[in-house]
Amino acid sequence: MLRGANAINLDTKGRIAIPTRYRDWLTENCQGQFVCTIDFQSQNCLLLYPLHEWLLIENKLRGLSSTNPQERRIQRLILGHASECELDKNGRTLIAPTLRQHAKLDKKIMLVGQLNKFEIWDEDVWHQQVQQDLESDMSLGMELSDSLKEFSF
């Protein structure tokens, strides 16, 4: 399972070191292979999928219509930015320059586990997003989904 927020550095070559606590699981479950793409719902975030999870996303994208403009847009954004990457022997993976530029990644980034994938954020932007999420008042005019109405922990 991929969870937790990890402050890590982007090296000068555009590589990130995956925290050691994830490496064995990732090697075992996807042989250290990933696909990185943009998050079409956030201009400031990348999504890093273990290969087996990415294949599920590709199947969903394959089911979208290429003649429906909205569905085609989603396919174009997600698949058009998809970049394969792999863990090297030092536990690092290269983030493509176009993706780094899209998310405005600088040296300090956040790798945030989201169960089946990681989000990759510039550290400052991540902290701004968290603050915005904390300040968001769901009770003022925002309708909760049925799933959230029943969610508790």
Side-chain angles (χ1 to χ4, degrees), residues 7-17 46 93-96 100-101 104-110 120 122:
I8 59 177
N9 290 322
L10 184 69
D11 73 12
T12 57
K13 294 182 180 178
R15 298 174 299 195
I16 58 173
L46 300 178
T93 192
L94 178 67
I95 305 299
R100 295 192 313 262
Q101 183 180 19
K104 298 174 180 67
L105 298 180
D106 200 11
K107 184 168 176 57
K108 294 183 175 189
I109 66 170
M110 294 297 294
I120 301 174
D122 174 80

Side-chain angles (χ1 to χ4, degrees), residues 14 47 50 64 81 102:
L47 302 174
L64 297 178
H81 287 90
H102 173 83

Side-chain angles (χ1 to χ4, degrees), residues 37-80:
T37 192
I38 64 169
D39 181 348
F40 73 92
Q41 296 179 356
S42 172
Q43 290 186 341
N44 301 315
C45 179
L46 300 178
L47 302 174
L48 183 65
Y49 288 91
L51 184 59
H52 65 282
E53 292 290 344
W54 173 254
L55 295 175
L56 299 173
I57 300 300
E58 275 190 348
N59 283 332
K60 290 178 185 179
L61 290 168
R62 188 175 286 116
L64 297 178
S65 171
S66 62
T67 59
N68 177 302
Q70 245 181 340
E71 293 180 18
R72 181 62 184 232
R73 179 174 121 338
I74 300 297
Q75 289 172 323
R76 185 179 309 112
L77 288 171
I78 295 174
L79 291 170

Side-chain angles (χ1 to χ4, degrees), residues 136-151:
S136 173
D137 187 353
M138 289 191 182
S139 65
L140 295 176
M142 184 180 267
E143 182 72 26
L144 293 178
S145 67
D146 291 339
S147 297
L148 283 177
K149 287 177 185 174
E150 297 181 19
F151 182 78

